[in-house]
Structure formats: C-alpha cells, structure tokens
Amino acid sequence: PPVEVAPGAVHLPGWLDGDAQADLVRRCRDWARGPAGMRRHPMPRGGVMSVQMVGLGWHWQPYSYSRTLPDGTPVRPFPAVLADLAARAVGAAYGAPPGPGADPYDVALVNFYDADARMGMHQDRDELSREPVVSLSLGDTCVFRFGNTETRTRPYTDVELRSGDLFVFGGPSRMAYHGVPRTRPGTAPPSLGLAGRLNITVRASGLEG
Ligand code: MD5
Ligand code: FE
C-alpha cells in the first residue's frame, strides 16, 4: 500500500515484481556500457562522487544538464520504457497519471552504489520543471534520508528502500533535501545477481519543448 511519508512524497514498497526488477537491472547494465556510460563525476570543489552515474536523454554533472558529455560524446536517448514506467508510477502514487499539460518525462539518471558509496544531503534543483521525480530502487537496501525544504539537517526521516520499491517526490516534497547515508551490502535479492544498489530516477527537465 502507498505510504505518504510527507505531503507529495509517496513510498510504494515492492512496486516492481521480481521479473520487472530483473528486466530493469539488465537494461541498466546495457545503459552503463560504452563511451556515454556510467562514471564517477568530479565535484566542482575537488574530489569525485562515490556514486557512479549515467544519464539518459540528458547528461547531468554537478550542477547542470547538457546534451553531450564534456568531451562531446552524445548522451544515450531517453528510453520509451522509462516514459511509460514514470507515467504508471505517478498514477500509482497519486491515483491519476500526469495530465495532458504536464511537462514530459525526458531524462533518467541511473545511479550505482557500491558498498562504500553515499550521497550527501542535497536538493534536486537543476530541472526547470516541477513535475514529480520518480525513483526506483534495485539491489541492495539503502537508508534513504528524507529531509525538509529549508536545511540539509534535521528534521529528517530515515526510510529503508528495498529492491523493487518505488518512491515518488512531488508537490511540496519535490524540493526537499535528501540523501543516502548508507547502503546495506549483501541485501540484494540473490536472483538479481547484483552486488550493490541501482537507483533509477525519471525526471522532467523542462529544458526543451
Ligand atoms: C538515490 N538519487 O537513491 C536518489 C533517489 C539523485 C538522488 O537523490 O539526485 O540522483 S532520488 C530522490 C529524490 C529526488 C527528488 C526529490 C527528493 C528525493 N526528495 O524530495 O526527497 O540515488
Ligand atoms: Fe537527489
């Protein structure tokens, strides 16, 4: 059953069945390959992100979207299967799919967390659109920290996200601070053959027609 963690923030545990999880893991392996594949992004003030990322439709790198990688490599296309998944996810979370006037879902960020990867508290504010962000978790369980819109500190709520869980962040929660302080290595369903955690976020960039 959907759990509303905060206004507009809806957690649907186990939304993807085992076959759908395996299908997405297989697709992520494909998206991760090649010159426009998964990498650790440099941070503007030094260091690299511990999470490995690949963008589909748009390349995201701290802190902007572009149509090519820094070396000019074109970004992989945004796959129709994720547009369909995002519309169904919004419908499952809010009881109605996005309306005809909604900005189209046109970008996905696929994040891979090895046993040591973490994501610090941040807001997702590089999109011009305020459509909900659709988040799917695969593999290892993580601790997801859902905060507030004002500060990157308390108050926050820690939620365990498991393989197959859907989380949709819309309305007032769209701009909340959030992060992943840790994963739980070795907790992935064995049938996935995945050592680590994959997170797929589907977003509307609002950046083009
Ligand atoms: C993750 N990824 O588990 C998370 C899931 C990212 C990122 O944070 O930026 O790639 S997306 C969580 C999210 C998105 C938009 C709003 C909120 C959470 N929120 O209001 O908490 O790898
Ligand atoms: Fe984020």
Side-chain angles (χ1 to χ4, degrees):
V3 182
E4 193 168 40
V5 173
V10 181
H11 181 197
L12 292 94
W15 188 66
L16 295 168
D17 67 22
D19 285 349
Q21 293 175 50
D23 178 69
L24 282 174
V25 169
R26 187 178 53 77
R27 291 178 191 274
C28 286
R29 289 204 165 99
D30 189 45
W31 294 327
R33 287 193 281 106
M38 199 166 255
R39 69 209 47 235
R40 287 191 167 96
H41 294 314
M43 299 293 292
R45 308 180 106 178
V48 293
M49 295 182 70
S50 60
V51 176
Q52 298 172 63
M53 306 183 65
V54 60
L56 310 173
W58 291 87
H59 176 73
W60 179 85
Q61 192 166 327
Y63 292 99
S64 65
Y65 284 99
S66 58
R67 281 297 199 186
T68 65
L69 276 62
D71 70 358
T73 304
V75 179
R76 287 177 177 280
F78 177 68
V81 64
L82 292 185
D84 176 65
L85 203 60
R88 290 193 290 115
V90 169
Y94 300 132
D103 296 327
Y105 284 92
D106 64 346
V107 53
L109 302 185
V110 181
N111 295 331
F112 177 71
Y113 294 76
D114 66 19
D116 301 314
R118 281 135 189 49
M119 193 176 287
M121 295 294 279
H122 66 279
Q123 292 170 299
D124 290 18
R125 47 200 240 177
D126 298 323
E127 302 81 17
L128 296 180
S129 172
R130 290 294 165 254
E131 296 297 332
V133 172
V134 170
S135 165
L136 297 161
S137 292
L138 300 164
D140 284 345
T141 298
C142 78
V143 177
F144 177 77
R145 184 160 289 175
F146 178 79
N148 58 83
T149 57
E150 304 304 318
T151 74
R152 63 181 72 237
T153 59
R154 286 180 171 82
Y156 51 66
T157 306
D158 284 351
V159 182
E160 300 261 331
L161 295 185
R162 297 184 178 79
S163 195
D165 286 10
L166 165 68
F167 215 129
V168 180
F169 301 93
S173 294
R174 175 65 182 75
M175 296 308 288
Y177 282 90
H178 59 277
V180 177
R182 62 164 300 177
T183 67
R184 302 201 184 282
T187 55
S191 60
L192 287 184
L194 179 61
R197 171 175 188 260
L198 283 166
N199 176 262
I200 305 174
T201 56
V202 191
R203 305 150 188 250
S205 73
L207 289 171
E208 262 183 13

